[in-house]
Amino acid sequence: MVALQQVAVIATVLMVFVPLQVCGQVIYKVPCDHTTPSCECPLQFENGTGIEVCEFELELSLRHTFTRYTVNTTTNTIAEGGQLWIIDPDTGEFVPHADGNTCENCTEPFAVDGYTYKTFIATNGRIPSPTLIVNYDQIVSVNVYNDLHDDVVSIHWHGLDQRKTNFMDGVEHITQCGATPQTSFRYIFEAKNTGTFWYHSHTGAQRTDGLFGSLIIKESPALIARAKNQTGVGDFEDQPESHTLSLMDWQLKPSIELFSELVSGIRFYDTNQVPTRSDIRYVSTTSQDGGSVGPVSFWSGIINGNGRHESVNYTQSRLSIFTVLPDKQYRFRLVGAQGLFAYRVSIAGHKLKVFAMDGTLVKPREVDFIIIHAGERYDFLLNTNKTEDEIGNGLFPIWGRTLETSIPDAHIVEAILHYDTTPEPDSTEYEDIFNAYSTTSESCTIDNSCETDYVATTCTPDYTCSALNCPFKNYPSTFNIDCIHVNQLELLFPLDESELPDAQVGEEETVILNFAFGGSGSSASINARTHVLPSSPLAGLNSSLLDTIEEREFCKYLDVDSQCDDNPDLVVNPGCVCTHVQKIPYNRSIQMVFSAIGPDLDPNTARNVFAASHPIHLHGHQFHVVDIQFGEYDDNGLLIKGNDAFDCGGTTVCTNPSWAEGRDYSIGKSGKISATAPRKDTVFLSGGGYVVVYFKSDNPGFWFLHCHIEVHQLEGMAIIINEAEDQQFAAPSGMDVCGNFSWSLEEFYEALDATPGSRLTEEEEEEDDDDDDDDDIDRLALG
């Protein structure tokens, strides 16, 4: 086990005395251990010296809920053995399970949802991983040590462009080998994007087992001052260490086990033993439009690692508490770390003024609810109450409610907004806080399921609420909620014309991707291809090795309509279960379309192909969302037909979609797209609908594009965008071997100075290594 070598002491010395310099750069070793839920790199030392490089150490290990582990206070290492602690049902205090157990120097006994006794992936002994906070233009160095014993790991920095550092994007088998057990991998990248981001495992299903954390890159003071002046919102407090909310749906079983049940067709049974004939197989829940929401049942929800399983009373839970002062304005940040379920977030007695999406500032828009899907981030400004009557007892529920309407009550995740005019509540007070704002609504859906939350008292015929980012065109009128879609928001600062893509594009610059269950055996797919990862990380291959992998493993005949059209009739169609790669040329305006449609052969069967919705994430880019369209609904808001804007290509599934005659978004448009078209890196695609985005292909690399619902991505709803292959940059020396990887700041700066197209050619590689291509590929694939 690697120690977190007393980084707090080291950092304190550095802050007060002599800054550490390497390669002429001033470095700050950020204190980050089991006691720090957030780890912040300041702008400067106390003597005024600016900090240029922020160094973090993250150690990954397996830990157990309700368990305290002994800490060696000399080395700051955490022991493997622990003690079971439980929550007293009367007092709400943690107490040892065994009489006489004490633990003076121990980790927290993370209760998570207050009920589930299971293993999780801890980062520096914590769940979730610590919030990392840095400043614009700093260099971020993160050394990740893998102590998981039997699993490799890679860390993706979600939302960062990684310009010139595609090999730091953190996707196993695409940009790197996974770090093997008892090895470390050092990520170094520039903090050029600003706003709210996050980081998570991109290996298997590790993310939903606890390996995720928020990443905040603070804007420059000058930009924030400009934003305040431009919007007229006035001053606000920005305390990301205190007001960042990461939302997760927590499961009883390990995530990979749930995935195997789904893809095998066994599906989910609510039992831990072999199902009997009397056990009923779980039926997926749906939203009000009939779209699939939960292919497995919701277990519990957590915010910043705390929550309450519905079978546990409030006293035996731990909820996250966010403290504010009266009559102030605060910036809050939402991070959608969920594996599956979207949440409709609201705060009782307060409105949410949306201020940023996926790290990009937008013109403020006040709403009652923000619907956040997996992978997305939203920042909002919260104006706290002023008067005693408005503040009351100073305790307000924070809710995140799933979008399920096919069951009597949707599921919830809970936290508390706390005014410091009153003491912070303990768990014996939680129930009263939530009961004060709960009631039964008369707003019932077409399935006769009813709301029981804040909607009941807030959204009425006399006051229509607003919700941002609905996964359907509108709520039924009985909800009294109007939908606002993300393409209706505008960038706070319009982009210069030179930064904007052209609205009119050619065939080579148009990429249409259909997300549906149209792969082999009706598996998750894009354009009927079920993606499998390549055998070697593409970003580290020279041109000769890349050609070999392409010939062996890449999907073929992408533009042939009949290819993969027989998928539904085959258990496995070998030509359609492959590494799905789409090439795009360098420095062009790209129109990319995400659709979720299918040939409408039979409304009762074809609808199942496209009824599911998907949050779509593109690595390496922030794209402009210019249009969002939906399918056809009946009078009750039920999706009955997919949008007819496309020709599918195939007759049974969409194999090679193209715009239908006269439907291309760019028709009749000239010049550039709107300078205020909002930018995101993750956008929600509604079942039966489509989304049109634009970006400039000015960031060479292999970029993963996938549904961010974890089980869909793992099953194959993904594609690799091979952007500007002839302009890509060579990976650092040493990344071609799986195992320990570290590189110096000097090597990092050399990489930034490299010329485009510096990937090793076949001839250059032969000077260094006479092994044949097969040996090289086998060596790379060992990880």
Side-chain angles (χ1 to χ4, degrees):
M1 179 179 291
V2 171
L4 301 175
Q5 298 290 344
Q6 294 179 306
V7 289
V9 175
I10 295 172
T12 302
V13 172
L14 285 171
M15 285 290 288
V16 177
F17 296 107
V18 180
L20 176 64
Q21 292 196 20
V22 176
C23 295
Q25 302 298 304
V26 180
I27 297 177
Y28 177 59
K29 295 183 180 294
V30 183
C32 202
D33 62 17
H34 69 96
T35 66
T36 51
S38 63
C39 309
E40 181 166 3
C41 184
L43 268 173
Q44 60 185 25
F45 291 93
E46 289 183 350
N47 65 5
T49 302
I51 294 171
E52 297 165 303
V53 181
C54 306
E55 286 194 354
F56 298 89
E57 295 282 340
L58 302 181
E59 182 177 336
L60 311 179
S61 59
L62 294 177
R63 301 295 174 186
H64 218 283
T65 57
F66 293 96
T67 304
R68 303 189 71 181
Y69 296 88
T70 303
V71 177
N72 184 318
T73 56
T74 302
T75 62
N76 205 28
T77 53
I78 302 172
E80 294 286 345
Q83 298 177 1
L84 174 62
W85 285 57
I86 59 175
I87 299 177
D88 186 286
D90 298 317
T91 66
E93 297 292 329
F94 270 108
V95 294
H97 181 265
D99 291 338
N101 276 356
T102 60
C103 213
E104 293 184 4
N105 298 305
C106 293
T107 61
E108 293 180 43
F110 293 98
V112 188
D113 66 359
Y115 178 85
T116 310
Y117 189 55
K118 65 176 285 187
T119 299
F120 64 88
I121 299 176
T123 304
N124 294 355
R126 302 190 61 85
I127 183 173
S129 305
T131 297
L132 307 183
I133 305 172
V134 300
N135 298 277
Y136 169 70
D137 216 22
Q138 289 178 322
I139 302 299
V140 182
S141 173
V142 186
N143 190 55
V144 178
Y145 179 73
N146 179 6
D147 195 28
L148 296 181
H149 300 299
D150 64 350
D151 208 354
V152 299
V153 70
S154 60
I155 303 295
H156 172 53
W157 311 94
H158 187 118
L160 302 191
D161 290 347
Q162 297 286 5
R163 291 186 180 273
K164 293 193 173 184
T165 53
N166 173 228
F167 39 78
M168 291 287 104
D169 194 44
V171 185
E172 186 192 1
H173 279 274
I174 297 178
T175 62
Q176 68 167 92
C177 286
T180 54
Q182 279 68 60
T183 68
S184 62
F185 191 102
R186 182 174 295 278
Y187 297 91
I188 307 179
F189 51 85
E190 294 182 295
K192 290 294 188 182
N193 302 92
T194 58
T196 304
F197 306 97
W198 63 305
Y199 63 101
H200 58 82
S201 171
H202 228 304
T203 297
Q206 293 172 346
R207 168 168 63 94
T208 45
D209 287 330
L211 185 38
F212 67 93
S214 301
L215 171 64
I216 310 301
I217 303 178
K218 289 185 173 181
E219 298 90 349
S220 67
L223 182 63
I224 289 299
R226 182 182 168 206
K228 293 176 180 178
N229 181 63
Q230 179 113 345
T231 59
V233 297
D235 197 20
F236 58 83
E237 301 287 334
D238 186 7
Q239 302 167 358
E241 72 283 0
S242 302
H243 296 141
T244 299
L245 290 72
S246 63
L247 297 95
M248 171 58 77
D249 41 2
W250 189 240
Q251 290 291 345
L252 169 64
K253 297 182 179 181
S255 297
I256 198 67
E257 185 175 339
L258 290 175
F259 168 69
S260 68
E261 290 179 351
L262 283 170
V263 298
S264 67
I266 297 172
R267 299 296 172 178
F268 183 81
Y269 289 85
D270 193 14
T271 177
N272 288 319
Q273 61 185 23
V274 176
T276 65
R277 291 185 175 181
S278 62
D279 289 317
I280 299 175
R281 193 173 80 164
Y282 173 78
V283 177
S284 177
T285 54
T286 59
S287 56
Q288 60 89 18
D289 64 339
S292 175
V293 173
V296 298
S297 63
F298 184 91
W299 182 251
S300 57
I302 56 176
I303 295 178
N304 292 2
N306 295 314
R308 183 182 69 88
H309 187 268
E310 62 185 13
S311 66
V312 172
N313 63 50
Y314 280 98
T315 300
Q316 289 180 276
S317 68
R318 288 291 182 271
L319 300 182
S320 293
I321 298 173
F322 302 91
T323 299
V324 295
L325 292 167
D327 196 18
K328 281 186 173 291
Q329 188 169 224
Y330 292 89
R331 180 181 186 173
F332 276 71
R333 304 166 187 262
L334 297 177
V335 176
Q338 311 97 290
L340 180 61
F341 289 86
Y343 288 118
R344 189 182 67 210
V345 177
S346 61
I347 302 178
H350 298 76
K351 288 185 173 292
L352 317 178
K353 190 179 295 182
V354 179
F355 185 61
M357 301 190 299
D358 291 0
T360 302
L361 299 177
V362 296
K363 293 179 181 178
R365 184 74 174 262
E366 192 170 76
V367 298
D368 298 281
F369 307 101
I370 296 173
I371 298 175
I372 185 167
H373 305 272
E376 294 187 301
R377 291 90 59 214
Y378 291 92
D379 296 21
F380 62 88
L381 300 178
L382 183 82
N383 288 296
T384 57
N385 296 331
K386 302 177 182 179
T387 68
E388 289 185 10
D389 286 344
E390 291 173 330
I391 296 171
N393 66 1
L395 301 170
F396 296 87
I398 300 174
W399 280 294
R401 179 171 288 270
T402 65
L403 304 182
E404 299 161 291
T405 59
S406 57
I407 54 178
D409 284 303
H411 297 94
I412 57 174
V413 60
E414 301 162 310
I416 296 169
L417 181 71
H418 161 244
Y419 282 69
D420 78 341
T421 54
T422 187
E424 184 174 301
D426 60 37
S427 62
T428 62
E429 302 172 73
Y430 291 171
E431 186 169 10
D432 290 339
I433 296 169
F434 286 90
N435 284 344
Y437 287 90
S438 295
T439 185
T440 300
S441 170
E442 297 303 321
S443 301
C444 296
T445 69
I446 55 176
D447 299 294
N448 290 322
S449 54
C450 297
E451 295 286 339
T452 57
D453 70 356
Y454 193 50
V455 174
T457 55
T458 303
C459 309
T460 68
D462 295 327
Y463 176 79
T464 302
C465 294
S466 56
L468 177 66
N469 200 31
C470 299
F472 31 72
K473 191 170 185 178
N474 274 309
Y475 273 97
S477 59
T478 53
F479 277 74
N480 301 304
I481 301 175
D482 283 341
C483 286
I484 301 169
H485 302 289
V486 296
N487 63 311
Q488 296 174 261
L489 274 60
E490 296 181 293
L491 291 179
L492 180 57
F493 301 120
L495 294 186
D496 185 81
E497 185 172 300
S498 63
E499 301 177 83
L500 295 169
D502 297 325
Q504 191 69 244
V505 297
E507 184 176 344
E508 190 180 14
E509 295 82 35
T510 302
V511 179
I512 301 177
L513 303 174
N514 191 63
F515 294 74
F517 294 95
S520 292
S522 299
S523 60
S525 66
I526 296 178
N527 292 359
R529 277 78 176 177
T530 299
H531 174 76
V532 294
L533 291 170
S535 59
S536 301
L538 303 183
L541 300 179
N542 65 43
S543 56
S544 177
L545 293 177
L546 183 61
D547 288 344
T548 302
I549 291 285
E550 180 174 352
E551 178 62 29
R552 287 183 181 181
E553 303 174 21
F554 284 14
C555 300
K556 308 296 192 302
Y557 313 112
L558 297 181
D559 57 354
V560 176
D561 290 356
S562 60
Q563 181 74 6
C564 305
D565 196 28
D566 53 354
N567 273 344
D569 299 326
L570 300 174
V571 176
V572 176
N573 187 345
C576 303
V577 180
C578 43
T579 300
H580 197 178
V581 179
Q582 173 73 52
K583 291 185 177 182
I584 59 175
Y586 179 58
N587 206 25
R588 304 281 186 87
S589 296
I590 303 296
Q591 180 200 84
M592 191 170 280
V593 184
F594 309 135
S595 63
I597 60 171
D600 290 307
L601 305 176
D602 180 345
N604 296 316
T605 57
R607 183 175 162 276
N608 294 327
V609 173
F610 61 76
S613 301
H614 310 280
I616 309 303
H617 174 49
L618 171 61
H619 294 212
H621 282 280
Q622 286 186 317
F623 45 70
H624 297 267
V625 184
V626 299
D627 195 24
I628 296 177
Q629 295 295 330
F630 300 88
E632 182 180 330
Y633 302 88
D634 66 15
D635 292 339
N636 292 314
L638 186 68
L639 178 66
I640 56 174
K641 185 179 180 182
N643 198 289
D644 60 1
F646 305 95
D647 293 327
C648 264
T651 57
T652 60
V653 289
C654 288
T655 59
N656 184 30
S658 59
W659 285 109
E661 184 70 27
R663 300 298 297 274
D664 188 334
Y665 173 83
S666 65
I667 291 177
K669 296 178 173 61
S670 61
K672 305 290 186 178
I673 67 168
S674 170
T676 58
R679 301 179 76 184
K680 292 182 105 275
D681 55 66
T682 308
V683 67
F684 193 75
L685 169 63
S686 175
Y690 67 89
V691 179
V692 182
V693 305
Y694 278 79
F695 61 91
K696 296 182 76 170
S697 55
D698 56 2
N699 192 16
F702 289 96
W703 304 112
F704 208 26
L705 188 159
H706 57 92
C707 174
H708 221 283
I709 292 175
E710 190 169 65
V711 292
H712 292 177
Q713 179 249 304
L714 291 174
E715 190 176 354
M717 193 171 278
I719 187 171
I720 299 169
I721 303 300
N722 181 3
E723 180 173 347
E725 184 177 317
D726 60 349
Q727 298 291 313
Q728 292 171 6
F729 298 89
S733 174
M735 280 193 72
D736 60 340
V737 178
C738 297
N740 282 305
F741 172 74
S742 185
W743 57 322
S744 66
L745 283 174
E746 182 178 7
E747 291 171 312
F748 170 74
Y749 288 117
E750 287 176 357
L752 293 185
D753 290 336
T755 56
S758 59
R759 178 195 300 279
L760 290 176
T761 65
E762 178 181 1
E763 292 76 22
E764 292 170 326
E765 180 74 4
E766 286 176 350
E767 294 177 6
D768 300 325
D769 191 346
D770 292 330
D771 293 341
D772 62 28
D773 290 348
D774 289 348
D775 289 342
D776 284 343
I777 290 171
D778 291 342
R779 175 169 55 89
L780 283 165
L782 290 175

